[in-house]
């Protein structure tokens, strides 16, 4: 038996998340079916992160075990031939038998995209949260700094989270601005992302963080209120859960 590591990109709009479940198509179920067809054997995938319904991935990492009858180039080409266009295998490599995409991940980076403009740009509606009202990005950056380090993130944990502990470590949290000059009708700052890198994440954690720091950017709370929200350990203390469409699993490092 060999173990294979895949890097995968997908648009999560049409799917009920990563993990196989009975209430709709998922990335995992569609990929396992496609890989099973090309490899002629049942395949069970393990992912670095279980993205929720509507969430995208630029570089998701998954692994599986197979008999090794097909070369890795055939896995990529054949897998993509059987996959829908909104899921793509970017690369495949053989890894040691003990490799585990989730347990061996050292850090994961998520980016949440915001379209800050008076008018929504239709081609970004599937990939960014449109916010019409002005946002103070300086306040957003300041609020994010209070999240860096090891904390109990109960206040940012969504319902149904099965994590054994709410304690997580955030290595970096910041804002990236993108050049939106080619998009007609967008005002400054236009397109930006809230970037969060950590050891691991709770259910809806990044989206809850985004909804809360946007409150700081709107002047509804001061940036330092994030420290108090963490201390309260209550989801009711934090802001709304941002829409799924803006969230990308951006990179997984090992």
């Amino acid at each position: 038996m060999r173990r294979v590591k895949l890097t995968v990109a997908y648009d999560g709009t049409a799917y009920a998340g990563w993990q196989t479940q009975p209430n709709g198509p998922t990335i995992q179920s569609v990929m396992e079916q496609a890989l099973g067809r090309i490899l002629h054997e049942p395949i069970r995938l393990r992912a670095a992160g279980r993205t929720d319904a509507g969430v995208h991935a630029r570089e998701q990492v998954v692994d599986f075990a197979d008999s090794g009858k097909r070369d890795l180039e055939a896995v990529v080409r054949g897998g993509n031939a059987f996959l829908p266009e909104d899921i793509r295998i970017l690369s495949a490599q053989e890894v040691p038998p003990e490799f585990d995409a989730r347990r061996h991940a050292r850090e994961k980076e998520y980016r949440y995209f915001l379209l800050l403009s008076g008018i929504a740009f239709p081609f970004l509606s599937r990939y960014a949260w449109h916010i019409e009202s002005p946002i103070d990005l300086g306040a957003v950056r300041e609020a994010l700094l209070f999240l860096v380090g090891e904390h109990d993130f109960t206040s940012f944990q969504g319902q149904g989270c099965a994590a054994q502990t709410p304690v997580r470590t955030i290595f970096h949290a910041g804002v990236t601005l993108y050049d939106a000059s080619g998009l007609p009708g967008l005002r400054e700052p236009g397109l930006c992302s809230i970037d969060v890198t950590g050891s691991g994440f709770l259910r809806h954690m990044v989206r809850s963080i985004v909804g809360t720091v946007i409150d700081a950017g709107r002047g509804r709370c001061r940036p330092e209120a994030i420290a108090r929200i963490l201390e309260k350990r209550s989801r009711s203390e934090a802001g709304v859960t941002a829409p799924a469409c803006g969230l990308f699993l951006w990179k997984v490092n090992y």
Side-chain angles (χ1 to χ4, degrees):
M1 295 292 287
R2 72 175 174 183
R3 185 152 295 276
V4 178
K5 170 187 172 186
L6 302 179
T7 303
V8 183
Y10 51 82
D11 177 337
T13 304
Y15 300 93
W18 161 262
Q19 189 173 8
T20 298
Q21 51 188 290
N23 65 336
T26 67
I27 308 294
Q28 181 183 11
S29 61
V30 171
M31 285 196 66
E32 287 178 349
Q33 182 179 29
L35 289 168
R37 291 179 66 184
I38 189 65
L39 295 171
H40 302 293
E41 58 184 291
I43 295 299
R44 184 67 174 178
L45 295 174
R46 301 186 299 196
R50 297 176 179 178
T51 53
D52 292 324
V55 174
H56 319 293
R58 171 181 171 265
E59 287 188 15
Q60 169 75 281
V61 176
V62 304
D63 73 88
F64 66 90
D66 75 345
S67 59
K69 295 177 181 178
R70 294 267 189 173
D71 63 49
L72 296 178
E73 184 179 352
V75 172
V76 176
R77 286 199 327 270
N80 284 334
F82 288 122
L83 285 168
E85 292 183 350
D86 51 7
I87 305 174
R88 277 294 170 266
I89 301 171
L90 305 179
S91 65
Q93 66 180 100
E94 187 169 354
V95 290
E98 64 272 15
F99 177 81
D100 186 306
R102 182 183 64 83
R103 290 193 302 108
H104 292 159
R106 183 170 54 86
E107 60 182 32
K108 301 171 191 174
E109 178 184 356
Y110 282 89
R111 294 193 183 187
Y112 191 99
F113 284 83
L114 303 167
L115 180 60
L116 307 179
S117 174
I119 299 174
F121 197 68
F123 305 113
L124 293 176
S125 62
R126 290 160 64 109
Y127 309 112
W129 181 15
H130 172 236
I131 299 178
E132 185 176 352
S133 57
I135 298 292
D136 179 354
L137 291 180
V140 171
R141 288 189 179 95
E142 187 178 348
L144 288 168
L145 292 177
F146 288 92
L147 298 166
V148 176
E150 184 179 87
H151 302 286
D152 182 323
F153 282 94
T154 297
S155 295
F156 298 96
Q157 177 177 274
Q159 289 187 346
C161 182
Q164 294 182 352
T165 172
V167 176
R168 295 291 186 272
T169 301
I170 298 299
F171 304 125
H172 167 80
V175 176
T176 299
L177 299 179
Y178 299 87
D179 182 7
S181 58
L183 303 179
L186 291 190
R187 67 161 189 261
E188 294 294 333
L191 185 65
C192 67
S193 66
I194 294 174
D195 311 336
V196 185
T197 302
S199 59
F201 294 87
L202 305 169
R203 179 175 172 82
H204 296 168
M205 178 174 156
V206 177
R207 291 164 58 195
S208 300
I209 286 172
V210 171
T212 306
V213 298
I214 287 298
D215 279 348
R218 285 170 164 160
R220 295 177 180 173
C221 67
R222 296 186 61 81
E224 55 266 31
I226 299 297
R228 176 187 57 80
I229 292 169
L230 285 167
E231 291 174 359
K232 290 288 187 179
R233 300 181 185 178
S234 171
R235 181 65 187 88
S236 63
E237 294 290 326
V240 300
T241 302
C245 63
L247 184 59
F248 286 73
L249 174 55
W250 198 252
K251 189 176 182 60
V252 184
N253 292 321
Y254 291 89

